[in-house]
């Protein structure tokens, strides 16, 4: 099967890691370039040039979640999103867990959640959301 894979080696390894973790190829995740059935509602990763793109598809509508040239960041993000999606379906290490509670979303104010989304996406935080003592961008 390896000879039929046209994905870059790092994405083939990521595919194999997902399978090792018990995630279902084609249902929980899809790696572009690795032959498998794609149910269309999982998390997809692909590489275009030096850029890794993670996409979530819901009812046939793709939503880009991450675009980065950092393979480690893309891999970590992909594995996390696949894990939570599989957990929602009742399998994998996140099964039976509540992501919103575990990640602190349920105890945040709307302003805090909005700032977190900007930071998670690596975008500058709009000045109107910042307190006077907060930096305008996230250095992390």
């Amino acid at each position: 099967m390896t000879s039929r894979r046209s994905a870059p080696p790092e994405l083939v390894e990521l595919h194999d890691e997902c399978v090792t973790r018990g995630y279902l190829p084609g249902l929980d995740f899809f790696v572009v370039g690795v032959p498998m059935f794609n149910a269309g509602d999982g998390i997809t990763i692909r590489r275009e040039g030096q850029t890794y793109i993670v996409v979530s598809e819901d009812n046939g509508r793709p939503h880009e979640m991450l675009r980065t040239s950092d393979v480690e960041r893309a891999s970590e993000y992909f594995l996390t999103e696949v894990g939570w999606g599989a957990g929602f379906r009742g399998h994998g290490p996140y099964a039976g867990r509540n992501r919103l509670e575990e990640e602190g979303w349920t105890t945040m104010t709307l302003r805090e959640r909005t700032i977190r989304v900007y930071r998670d996406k690596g975008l500058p935080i709009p000045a109107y959301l910042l307190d006077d003592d907060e930096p305008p961008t996230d250095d992390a």
Side-chain angles (χ1 to χ4, degrees):
M1 182 170 184
T2 304
S3 63
R4 297 183 327 169
R5 295 176 173 182
S6 62
E10 66 275 15
L11 294 187
V12 171
E13 287 178 26
L14 190 55
H15 169 273
D16 295 345
E17 175 67 21
C18 286
V19 171
T20 299
R21 292 182 181 201
Y23 305 142
L24 305 175
L27 179 63
D28 295 326
F29 73 97
F30 184 73
V31 175
V32 174
V34 177
M36 72 179 86
F37 169 77
N38 184 1
D41 281 348
I43 307 297
T44 299
I45 190 167
R46 70 180 186 273
R47 190 176 88 183
E48 292 179 4
Q50 297 304 312
T51 303
Y52 299 91
I53 302 163
V54 179
V55 175
S56 171
E57 194 165 321
D58 186 27
N59 292 325
R61 291 184 169 153
H63 305 280
E64 186 174 304
M65 302 171 76
L66 178 70
R67 180 180 288 260
T68 182
S69 59
D70 183 347
V71 67
E72 288 179 26
R73 181 169 181 226
S75 297
E76 181 180 314
Y77 187 85
F78 180 74
L79 288 170
T80 299
E81 293 302 318
V82 169
W84 281 112
F88 180 76
R89 291 178 185 85
H91 59 275
Y94 295 106
R97 294 167 55 185
N98 185 316
R99 183 178 190 175
L100 295 177
E101 287 178 6
E102 286 192 30
E103 292 185 355
W105 290 94
T106 57
T107 60
M108 290 182 200
T109 65
L110 177 59
R111 178 184 163 278
E112 290 169 334
R113 288 191 304 259
T114 304
I115 289 171
R116 182 161 173 187
V117 168
Y118 277 94
R119 285 188 173 141
D120 287 354
K121 291 187 174 278
L123 299 171
I125 300 165
Y128 72 88
L129 289 171
L130 296 174
D131 290 335
D132 292 335
D133 59 341
E134 288 186 74
T137 59
D138 185 288
D139 296 333

